Amino acid sequence: IRAAQKRSFQTFNRAAINRSLADINAQLPADMAGHDAMSWAQDEFSRAYNQVLPSMRGVRDPTFVGDLNHVMQRAGAQNLPPEYQDQLRHIIQNEIVNRFDANGHITGEAAQKIGTQLDALINPMKISPNPYVQQLGRYVREADQALDNMMAAHNPALQAAKDRIDAGYAKFK
């Protein structure tokens, strides 16, 4: 009975991993399961990102700057307390704007890293008992979305590939 349960669990896990890998046209080797399968899938997603991100470039263009300014204006207009507006301004400046080079350019890898860092900030904000912190998290998410929109506008073909990788990786996680 235990062996059957173990096979059933492994079959389920393989199917779930393969469903996520399908978005990047990959599939687990037939004899792989458990931690090895998880590690192999993680490596496949890393490989997929490494094929796309180095070719992506972004520019701090007027649309992007306007989108970030709009996030700040909305925060003020919707009565986010000043101390939270200051935090939002600090996050936008230090976690996004300052990551661009002196010419206003950013690489795909840097933009991906920003998104990961913003997610780490946003996730605890979403579950905070403080409604202002939750609201701050929503504005940080909007700023992150502005970055994603800018990268998509400058890399339409590559963005489609990255979106597929993101979708598969989300299923994998």
Side-chain angles (χ1 to χ4, degrees):
I1 292 174
R2 288 190 196 273
Q5 287 175 331
K6 183 178 178 180
R7 281 191 308 274
S8 174
F9 184 70
Q10 286 178 342
T11 300
F12 175 81
N13 284 344
R14 281 184 53 77
I17 293 169
N18 278 328
R19 187 172 44 250
S20 69
L21 289 168
D23 289 325
I24 60 170
N25 299 317
Q27 187 173 3
L28 284 172
D31 61 340
M32 192 171 288
H35 293 293
D36 291 340
M38 297 293 285
S39 179
W40 189 89
Q42 181 69 47
D43 290 346
E44 285 299 301
F45 282 108
S46 292
R47 251 189 295 286
Y49 278 119
N50 289 338
Q51 290 176 350
V52 174
L53 292 177
S55 300
M56 295 181 81
R57 300 284 181 271
V59 178
R60 192 175 53 226
D61 59 19
T63 301
F64 175 60
V65 172
D67 289 346
L68 293 178
N69 287 335
H70 181 71
V71 171
M72 287 302 306
Q73 289 168 356
R74 281 181 18 90
Q78 293 184 2
N79 297 321
L80 186 66
E83 62 269 22
Y84 294 100
Q85 289 182 47
D86 290 343
Q87 286 181 12
L88 178 61
R89 187 176 299 103
H90 177 81
I91 290 168
I92 289 173
Q93 187 64 43
N94 292 311
E95 299 298 330
I96 300 174
V97 175
N98 289 352
R99 307 297 173 137
F100 285 74
D101 68 19
N103 296 319
H105 297 102
I106 193 166
T107 65
E109 294 100 329
Q112 183 77 4
K113 186 175 180 181
I114 290 169
T116 300
Q117 290 169 330
L118 292 177
D119 284 343
L121 290 173
I122 294 165
N123 288 334
M125 290 177 183
K126 291 190 301 191
I127 59 172
S128 172
N130 183 332
Y132 294 125
V133 172
Q134 291 176 14
Q135 192 177 6
L136 174 62
R138 287 190 294 274
Y139 290 122
V140 174
R141 174 65 66 209
E142 287 181 25
D144 183 33
Q145 187 62 53
L147 178 65
D148 289 345
N149 292 344
M150 180 274 299
M151 291 299 289
H154 290 281
N155 306 277
L158 292 171
Q159 187 65 40
K162 183 182 174 296
D163 288 346
R164 286 192 304 277
I165 300 167
D166 289 344
Y169 191 70
K171 290 176 198 171
F172 175 68
K173 291 305 267 182

